[in-house]
């Protein structure tokens, strides 16, 4: 079973990063008139993410007392539980709130009413369904992080719209996100380099970690562009294995 990889009960409340990793096993189709409406369908093979590899990179980079990792994060219970905002005695105050998930655009193939710019969290159902929190729900969760929150990192495709809304609602907060589609390997490499800098220089400026991650991406010969169709010829990736 997956468990949280975090600070432990004896650690302080101020941490560098709270990271939620989300990948539902099934999506419940919600489209009236679609013959699949109401059916729980497995996540398509092309939508699988290697989140355990990304988790391993973060765990390696950031010391245990400075991070809280929530795999298979269910919305909203696991998020509020990790923060300690569910009534527990201990509350975490992260400097960085991180989410690795699929970004969902308006009217997704499986959900007619999907709000644009949503993040696909695990749902609470035993069927492994998904949850799509609205923008204001995300803002409300971020408010519980405390005054020390400096950055949100949405490691998800097409998360710019959500990031812009969040920083408008929470002045002073900064965001890292992806404007368009991003391949899982590229998102994972960027996050690994970002947190390698955070782990080596706690309380660093988020802009410095961002610059370090960009430099690492350039050194690995990643290219800018739509990752579809996939796979690409090796030459397009500089020979790097994603």
């Amino acid at each position: 079973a997956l468990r949280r990889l975090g600070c432990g009960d004896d650690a302080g409340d101020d941490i560098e990063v709270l990271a939620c990793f989300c990948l539902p096993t099934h999506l419940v189709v919600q489209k009236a008139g679609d013959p699949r409406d109401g059916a729980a369908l497995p996540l398509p093979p092309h939508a699988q993410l290697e989140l355990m590899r990304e988790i391993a990179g973060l765990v390696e980079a950031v010391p245990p007392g400075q991070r809280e990792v929530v795999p298979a994060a269910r919305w909203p219970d696991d998020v509020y539980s990790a923060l300690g905002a569910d009534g527990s005695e201990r509350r975490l105050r992260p400097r960085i709130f991180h989410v690795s998930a699929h970004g969902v655009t308006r009217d997704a193939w499986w959900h007619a009413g999907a709000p644009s710019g949503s993040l696909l969290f695990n749902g609470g159902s035993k069927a492994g369904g998904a949850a799509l929190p609205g923008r204001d729900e995300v803002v409300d969760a971020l408010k519980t992080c405390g005054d020390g929150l400096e950055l949100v990192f949405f490691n998800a495709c097409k998360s710019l719209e959500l990031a812009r809304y969040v920083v408008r609602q929470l002045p002073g907060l900064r965001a890292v996100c992806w404007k368009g589609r991003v391949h899982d390997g590229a998102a994972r490499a960027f996050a690994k380099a970002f947190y390698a800098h955070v782990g080596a220089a706690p309380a660093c400026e988020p802009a410095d970690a961002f610059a370090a991650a960009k430099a690492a991406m350039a050194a690995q010969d990643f290219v800018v562009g739509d990752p579809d169709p996939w796979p690409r010829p090796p030459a397009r990736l500089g020979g790097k294995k994603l």
Side-chain angles (χ1 to χ4, degrees), residues 171-189:
L173 189 65
R174 287 170 283 183
V176 172
C177 62
W178 294 96
K179 180 179 180 180
R181 295 173 63 86
V182 59
H183 187 269
D184 182 38
R188 187 170 60 246

Side-chain angles (χ1 to χ4, degrees), residues 49-225:
L49 304 174
E50 295 188 68
L51 292 183
M52 293 308 297
R53 292 179 63 184
E54 186 177 341
I55 290 173
L58 191 153
V59 168
E60 180 182 350
V62 183
Q66 291 299 317
R67 41 98 168 148
E68 185 82 1
V69 176
V70 187
R74 296 169 299 173
W75 181 274
D77 294 351
D78 288 347
V79 176
Y80 281 98
S81 176
L83 287 167
D86 59 350
S88 57
E89 294 183 3
R90 177 170 166 266
R91 297 194 64 168
L92 294 179
R93 294 188 295 268
R95 194 168 72 94
I96 302 167
F97 186 95
H98 177 105
V99 179
S100 284
H102 279 297
V104 179
T105 55
R106 192 181 308 279
D107 292 333
W109 66 267
W110 59 279
H111 196 307
S116 184
S118 296
L119 297 174
L120 191 65
F121 277 80
N122 291 60
S125 69
K126 294 181 180 180
L132 288 172
R135 299 183 302 178
D136 289 318
E137 292 180 273
V138 174
V139 169
D140 288 343
L142 293 173
K143 288 178 179 178
T144 68
C145 292
D147 296 336
L149 185 66
E150 297 182 20
L151 181 81
V152 290
F153 188 158
F154 296 142
N155 208 17
C157 293
K158 299 183 178 180
S159 48
L160 177 61
E161 184 177 341
L162 176 61
R164 281 177 169 167
Y165 183 81
V166 165
V167 298
R168 284 198 302 267
Q169 299 302 310
L170 301 173
L173 189 65
R174 287 170 283 183
V176 172
C177 62
W178 294 96
K179 180 179 180 180
R181 295 173 63 86
V182 59
H183 187 269
D184 182 38
R188 187 170 60 246
F190 186 89
K192 182 177 182 179
F194 184 94
Y195 287 111
H197 188 89
V198 170
C204 67
E205 281 292 326
D208 293 339
F210 181 81
K214 284 187 65 177
M217 294 288 284
Q220 294 179 66
D221 297 324
F222 286 99
V223 295
V224 176

